[in-house]
Structures are given as C-alpha cells and as structure tokens.
C-alpha cells in the first residue's frame, strides 16, 4: 500500500488536537433539530407521488442525464423547470446548477474579472469564498451585516479603482451560521447609489420567507434591484440542485464561462421533476395545501422555540442568537464543550449539531438548532430543557 503523505497526516492530527476532526455520522432515527429540511418536504409522500406522475405524464424513464447540458443532458424538463423558476421568482432568466456549491463556485469564479473588486460579508458561506478565491478579482471582507463599514470600504475602493472596474457586493439574505439577515432595503439603496452589482445568496430564505416561499428579496420587492440571486433546493425544498437568477445576458455568460456548469453531467430527470413538483405545491391555491400547512407550522414552531428559550437561564458566558429564520443558535465557546453538550443531548435521542471552529471563529462555537414544521412543542421543550440542564452543569465550566 502506498504511504500516505506525511504533511497530510499532520493536518489530520492537527484537527484531532483541536477537537475539530470530522467523521461521517451514521444514519439515525433521532429527533431532528439538525437538518435543513425546514418544511419536511424531503419525506413528503405527496411530493414523491407528484414527482412520479410528472415523469409518467412526460413518458420519461431515464435514470440519468447522459452528459453535460451542453452535450446531451439538456432535456425538455430542464426548460420547463427553468421557466417555472423565473416565473415564480419574477426573474428575467434562471439557470439550474447541480448544487448550491456548484452555483456559487461557477458564478463567483467566472463573473468578477481581473481589475474588479469584490466586497463580501465576513460570514459568507464557504462555497462563495471558494468561488471568490478562484476569481481574478481582488476581494475584501466587510464586518458582518455592518452597512456603515461596507459603505466606507466602497468609498475607499471607488477612490482608487480603474474606470472600467466593477464592484460586486456579496451577502446572504439569511446566514447559515446565525440565521440573521442584513438590512436589504438599505443595502440596495447603497449599491444603487454607487452603481454597484449586488449578489445575494438566498439558500436559507427560499421556501421560508414570502407568501409562497419566494425568498426574502422578492418578499421585500427588491428582485429588480439585484444583479443576481442564488437559490438552492436542498434546504426548504427538500430535494437537490440550485439556480442562479438574473438577466438573460447573465445566463448566457454563465453557460459560456461557468466551469462548474459546463464540465459536469446534468441532473437526472427525477431531480428536476422533484423540483417542479415542489414549485407546484408552493403555487397551490388550496386552503389546506401542503406548503401552506407546513409553512404555518414552521412559523409557529419558530415563535415557540424563541419564547421558550428566552425563559431559560443561560450560563453567563453563553449567548443565544435569536432570528426570525429556522436557524437558532446558542454560542458555547470551545470545541470540546460544545461537542460534549451535543453528545449528551444526542444520548437523549435528539440530534443537534455542534458547529466547531474553524467553521466558525474560535470562541464562537455553537449549537445550531434547525427548526422544522414537523417538530412538536414537546420536542422543542425537551431539547431546550436538556440544553438548560447541561449548560448549568460542569460541562462548560
């Protein structure tokens, strides 16, 4: 057997020493406070059946796309899905990618050019950071959700940039680690003031915000003020894939230059049909539609979680990060401490994931609670009572 490189062995050992070593979890039947399946759509028998019907109605029996979309994988179902996406989110055009990671990698590595400037929120998702690193543009971060800091940095860059340079501002409408949101109305006003291209990742907002789950940008009627939106289907939609929303010319550009789009096999028909069936449910005008029922339950559960945790005494060095999204966090500094509490809660049959450094800054490690439409009040009360018990114990002292 070939010896594994010593430098890589050392990196793995460093992870172990930092208590940040990752392993794949085993499948379980634990109470779910960790997944992104906010509306419970991933296990919906109704959506599963509607997906099969879509394939049957269109006489589709294929298991795969057979190639990239530029070769043989661009089925009629792709056109149907993209038409539905742009209509639903009120966008001129939409382009489906295989995942949110692929969409962010493809967009940010190809759109900003040499001489351009990227200003990104310091808490931006890793997939965006990776795309930015592949770009030839210069990139600078601004303080999280701090629009005063952003405007100062814009002024600095405008004073020194070339006349043909573009400035791109990148943020998320709902941040995956804190569940919080920037002031998008003010942000749009700032980017309009300086003629800057605004790009917003809506991965954790679509399906959750908006009357029909259109996302936070659309809910605030800002869709025409944003250069591009990135939406994903692996969170509230409960399936797989992603899309970039923008102008026709932006989509044309991505088809020609986004390498994560060009050089990969397309999604299988079943994935596309599932996306379409979810949109059909979200558009449903039935009073008791699956989306409305689950969306209403999700909002009630978020409110119940927030009201309940506010009644619980938290240890002096802990901090609860409240949000209006399904993502609720309790900061428990130190990888060892947060892993231990997560382990103790798991032993009680509940799955809550510890978020460790280096995913978040040292000292900002946290338990992240993902709230779902299918969580019961008793489950929420139980997990928070367990949290209260363990943070008052010696585990975090």
């Amino acid at each position: 057997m070939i010896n594994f490189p010593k430098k890589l062995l050392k990196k793995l050992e460093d992870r172990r020493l930092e208590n940040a070593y990752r392993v794949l979890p085993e499948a379980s039947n634990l109470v779910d406070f960790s997944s992104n399946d906010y509306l419970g759509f991933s296990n919906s028998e109704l959506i599963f059946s509607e997906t099969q019907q879509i394939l049957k109605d269109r006489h589709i029996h294929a298991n795969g796309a057979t190639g990239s979309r530029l070769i043989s994988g661009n089925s009629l179902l792709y056109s149907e899905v993209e038409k539905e996406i742009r209509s639903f989110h009120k966008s001129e055009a939409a382009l489906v990618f295989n995942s949110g990671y692929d969409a962010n990698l493809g967009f940010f590595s190809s759109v900003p050019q040499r001489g351009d400037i990227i200003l990104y929120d310091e808490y931006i998702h890793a997939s965006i950071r990776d795309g930015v690193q592949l770009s030839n543009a210069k990139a600078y971060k601004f303080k999280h959700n701090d629009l005063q800091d952003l405007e100062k940095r814009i002024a600095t860059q405008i004073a020194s940039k070339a006349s043909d340079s573009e400035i791109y501002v990148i943020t998320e409408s709902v941040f995956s680690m804190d569940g919080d949101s920037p002031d998008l109305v003010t942000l749009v006003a700032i980017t309009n003031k300086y003629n800057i291209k605004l790009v917003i990742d809506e991965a954790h907002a679509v399906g959750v915000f908006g009357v029909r789950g259109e996302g936070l940008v659309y809910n605030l009627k800002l869709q025409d003020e944003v250069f591009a939106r990135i939406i994903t289907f692996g969170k509230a939609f409960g399936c797989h894939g992603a899309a970039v929303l923008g102008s026709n010319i932006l989509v044309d550009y991505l088809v020609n230059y986004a390498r994560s789009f060009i050089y990969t096999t397309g999604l299988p028909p079943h994935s596309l049909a599932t996306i379409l069936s979810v949109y059909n449910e979200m558009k449903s005008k039935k009073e008791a539609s699956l989306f409305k029922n689950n969306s209403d339950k999700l909002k009630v559960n978020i409110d119940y979680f927030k009201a309940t945790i506010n009644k619980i005494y938290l240890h002096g060095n802990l901090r609860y990060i409240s949000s209006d999204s399904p993502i609720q966090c309790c900061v428990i500094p130190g990888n060892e401490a947060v892993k231990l509490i997560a382990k103790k809660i798991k032993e009680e049959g509940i799955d809550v994931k510890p978020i460790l450094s280096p995913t978040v800054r040292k000292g900002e490690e946290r338990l992240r609670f993902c709230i779902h439409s299918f969580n019961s009040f008793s489950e929420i009360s139980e997990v928070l009572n367990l949290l209260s018990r363990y943070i008052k114990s010696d585990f975090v002292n």
Side-chain angles (χ1 to χ4, degrees):
M1 185 176 180
I2 297 174
N3 291 332
F4 197 71
K6 291 182 179 179
K7 291 179 181 179
L8 303 187
L9 284 172
K10 184 180 183 305
K11 287 174 73 73
L12 284 175
E13 184 58 28
D14 289 344
R15 274 283 160 88
R16 290 189 179 94
L17 292 174
E18 293 168 356
N19 236 315
Y21 189 75
R22 297 182 175 101
V23 294
L24 292 174
E26 295 181 0
S28 69
N29 291 316
L30 301 177
V31 176
D32 182 6
F33 282 101
S34 65
S35 79
N36 296 321
D37 187 25
Y38 305 129
L39 296 172
F41 282 2
S42 72
N43 289 305
S44 167
E45 293 184 9
L46 177 61
I47 289 175
F48 185 86
S49 297
E50 289 182 351
T51 298
Q52 305 310 311
Q53 193 62 47
I54 287 171
L55 295 171
K56 183 179 178 181
D57 291 345
R58 289 154 182 76
H59 307 289
I60 297 173
H61 306 287
N63 295 315
T66 76
S68 76
R69 292 186 63 185
L70 288 166
I71 297 177
S72 59
N74 196 39
S75 66
L76 290 175
L77 201 50
Y78 259 116
S79 299
E80 188 174 353
V81 169
E82 287 171 343
K83 180 180 179 181
E84 183 60 56
I85 292 170
R86 62 179 182 260
S87 172
F88 186 86
H89 296 281
K90 297 298 184 288
S91 176
E92 185 175 289
L95 185 68
V96 169
F97 283 74
N98 283 12
S99 69
Y101 191 94
D102 282 342
N104 281 329
L105 205 68
F107 182 96
F108 292 106
S109 65
S110 67
V111 173
Q113 299 294 295
R114 190 178 304 278
D116 290 344
I117 296 154
I118 298 171
L119 299 174
Y120 63 92
D121 188 290
E122 63 180 336
Y123 286 3
I124 212 74
H125 193 266
S127 60
I128 299 176
R129 287 177 177 267
D130 288 353
V132 167
Q133 286 181 347
L134 291 172
S135 167
N136 289 318
K138 292 182 179 180
Y140 307 91
K141 63 185 176 183
F142 60 91
K143 294 177 183 177
H144 178 55
N145 285 344
D146 188 334
L147 301 189
Q148 286 187 330
D149 184 53
L150 170 62
E151 195 159 13
K152 288 179 184 177
R153 293 178 183 275
I154 289 172
T156 299
Q157 295 303 326
I158 286 176
S160 60
K161 80 178 185 70
S163 58
D164 62 343
S165 295
E166 296 284 356
I167 298 178
Y168 294 88
V169 168
I170 308 168
T171 191
E172 300 178 30
S173 56
V174 175
F175 280 85
S176 60
M177 287 298 106
D178 286 4
D180 58 347
S181 300
D183 179 351
L184 291 178
V185 173
T186 302
L187 180 56
V188 163
I190 291 172
T191 53
N192 283 343
K193 175 181 176 181
Y194 296 102
N195 193 28
I196 285 171
K197 306 293 187 292
L198 177 59
V199 183
I200 300 178
D201 186 312
E202 290 233 86
H204 293 274
V206 290
V208 175
F209 291 94
V211 175
R212 300 186 301 173
E214 300 94 339
L216 196 53
V217 171
Y218 178 85
N219 195 41
L220 295 171
K221 305 304 179 190
L222 300 173
Q223 66 273 10
D224 295 331
E225 310 295 327
V226 176
F227 180 69
R229 288 173 279 168
I230 292 98
I231 63 173
T232 58
F233 307 124
K235 276 72 176 178
F237 279 59
C239 46
H240 194 70
V244 174
L245 311 181
S247 64
N248 287 320
I249 195 166
L250 173 61
V251 166
D252 289 345
Y253 180 86
L254 292 172
V255 169
N256 279 275
Y257 288 99
R259 295 171 70 85
S260 63
F261 175 87
I262 298 167
Y263 298 109
T264 190
T265 300
L267 287 172
H270 188 276
S271 292
L272 296 168
T274 305
I275 295 169
L276 193 58
S277 67
V278 172
Y279 274 110
N280 288 340
E281 280 303 316
M282 292 169 70
K283 289 193 309 178
S284 174
K285 297 186 183 299
K286 296 178 183 177
E287 186 62 29
S289 70
L290 177 66
F291 171 73
K292 187 176 188 312
N293 283 346
N294 290 18
S295 179
D296 288 347
K297 289 176 183 176
L298 175 62
K299 290 179 175 65
V300 168
N301 282 348
I302 292 170
D303 289 342
Y304 183 77
F305 183 97
K306 292 168 67 174
T308 304
I309 199 170
N310 283 328
K311 296 176 183 177
I312 295 175
Y313 168 77
L314 295 182
H315 194 276
N317 67 338
L318 303 182
R319 177 166 56 92
Y320 164 55
I321 303 174
S322 177
S323 83
D324 294 324
S325 79
I327 301 168
Q328 307 287 321
C329 296
C330 180
V331 176
I332 302 173
N335 282 348
E336 184 176 357
V338 72
K339 284 175 70 175
L340 185 54
I341 291 181
K343 179 176 179 290
K344 288 294 182 180
I345 293 175
K346 185 175 182 180
E347 289 171 355
E348 300 288 342
I350 300 175
D351 190 17
V352 178
K353 286 294 186 287
I355 307 299
L356 313 175
S357 58
T359 300
V360 293
R361 292 176 178 173
K362 285 191 175 182
E364 291 289 314
E365 296 86 0
R366 78 272 313 266
L367 282 183
R368 182 175 64 174
F369 299 84
C370 293
I371 314 303
H372 311 95
S373 61
F374 51 82
N375 290 133
S376 66
F377 280 7
S378 62
E379 290 170 346
I380 294 172
S381 296
E382 182 180 3
V383 73
L384 292 180
N385 285 331
L386 290 170
L387 172 66
S388 178
R389 180 196 308 173
Y390 292 129
I391 63 176
K392 291 175 184 175
S393 72
D394 292 334
F395 292 128
V396 294
N397 295 329

